[in-house]
Amino acid sequence: MQNNGTIDIFIRNLIMVKGSLGWSNRDVSRHGGPSDRMVGKIINRESEPGIDVIERIGIAFKLPPYLLLTPYLRPDMLDSIDEISTLLRSYINCDAESRDFIIKLVSKAQQPEKEYEN
């Protein structure tokens, strides 16, 4: 994985999920993730995770691995994994015109608050 932004997102989510579960690096390892030493190296940016490592960490957390690469993931969202997965699958499977529409709608919603006509 070479994109530093993606690595930043992954590390942030790894730390966040570990914290929300109250897990140590050793707990990640015990639940099927890589060694606790490897988890520490990833968090300290001494090693970059490959796809296999991300998959193993996802398995340890019982999360789809791609979710660990999702920007803006929050602890309260971990209770809605099925809904998030459905949303992502729907986006991936829609046509280009629908994706463009979704992107425009989300971009507009992220702008400073505007009054909408009823």
Side-chain angles (χ1 to χ4, degrees):
M1 185 185 321
Q2 295 177 352
N3 183 330
N4 284 342
T6 303
I7 293 169
D8 291 343
I9 291 165
F10 175 75
I11 292 171
R12 185 183 67 79
N13 288 337
L14 169 58
I15 292 167
M16 182 273 297
V17 175
K18 270 183 40 182
S20 70
L21 294 172
W23 283 13
S24 66
N25 294 351
R26 181 161 287 182
D27 292 323
V28 175
S29 181
R30 275 189 236 153
H31 286 88
S35 71
D36 58 329
R37 187 171 180 199
M38 175 59 79
V39 174
K41 284 184 172 189
I42 292 168
I43 291 171
N44 294 322
R45 298 178 183 280
E46 297 169 9
S47 180
E48 288 189 7
I51 291 172
D52 58 328
V53 171
I54 293 171
E55 286 177 338
R56 288 180 63 196
I57 292 173
I59 288 167
F61 291 148
K62 296 184 178 165
L63 295 173
Y66 62 81
L67 207 57
L68 296 170
L69 303 175
T70 304
Y72 313 112
L73 187 64
R74 300 182 321 261
D76 61 308
M77 296 168 78
L78 297 175
D79 294 330
S80 305
I81 298 305
D82 291 338
E83 291 88 353
I84 293 169
S85 293
T86 299
L87 177 66
L88 289 172
R89 270 194 306 279
S90 297
Y91 177 79
I92 290 167
N93 292 326
C94 68
D95 60 46
E97 184 178 344
S98 297
R99 274 193 213 128
D100 287 343
F101 177 78
I102 293 168
I103 290 168
K104 287 177 186 171
L105 189 61
V106 169
S107 294
K108 187 173 183 176
Q110 291 176 340
Q111 294 175 0
E113 199 170 311
K114 295 181 179 181
E115 289 189 33
Y116 293 96
E117 294 180 20
N118 290 336

